[in-house]
Amino acid sequence: QVQLVESGGGPVQAGESLRLSCVASGIVFRLNAMAWHRQAPGKERELVASITPGSRTNYVDSVKGRFTISRDNAKNTVYLQMNSLKPEDTAVYYCNRPYETYINWGQGTQVTVSS
């Protein structure tokens, strides 16, 4: 059974930083591409950042230069370092595969950026 557990979110002011974590179980983690998605109130879910098994990364234009995705295969964990946060980053953040997503989404972690 696939389980994805996100943590690390919270309320911050614009310009501050957060690091999100996601622990995965029930999969061969080292062989999976992983990603962070986010969903703002009333909007569709958006793919934000992805990382391949070989640690190649990709980002949506709006977060390039501010966010960094990384992984620790020994801990079955993917991270999202978020710097210079903006109010437009406010959303619930989820981890999953970037495209062929597992149906078992986690609860997500709330990020709220105030101005």
Side-chain angles (χ1 to χ4, degrees):
Q1 193 77 46
V2 177
Q3 292 187 333
L4 304 165
V5 182
E6 302 92 346
S7 63
V12 297
Q13 294 184 325
E16 295 183 336
S17 299
L18 283 173
R19 190 180 76 156
L20 309 183
S21 300
C22 171
V23 179
S25 60
I27 65 173
V28 184
F29 182 82
R30 63 183 176 86
L31 299 182
N32 277 263
M34 296 298 295
W36 286 94
H37 308 251
R38 68 186 180 187
Q39 187 169 32
K43 297 183 179 179
E44 292 293 310
R45 186 179 61 240
E46 173 188 36
L47 176 63
V48 175
S50 63
I51 184 167
T52 70
S55 293
R56 293 187 177 183
T57 60
N58 195 35
Y59 303 90
V60 68
D61 285 345
S62 61
V63 309
K64 285 181 178 177
R66 300 188 299 120
F67 290 10
T68 303
I69 188 171
S70 61
R71 65 192 298 157
D72 185 341
N73 290 339
K75 297 181 180 295
N76 283 8
T77 301
V78 60
Y79 303 96
L80 187 66
Q81 178 67 46
M82 305 185 295
N83 298 328
S84 302
L85 282 162
K86 303 176 179 180
E88 64 191 28
D89 297 318
T90 295
V92 179
Y93 284 72
Y94 302 89
C95 65
N96 209 313
R97 295 198 291 189
Y99 300 109
E100 294 183 1
T101 56
Y102 293 110
I103 62 172
N104 291 359
W105 293 82
Q107 294 298 304
T109 186
Q110 175 73 53
V111 173
T112 303
V113 186
S114 62
S115 60

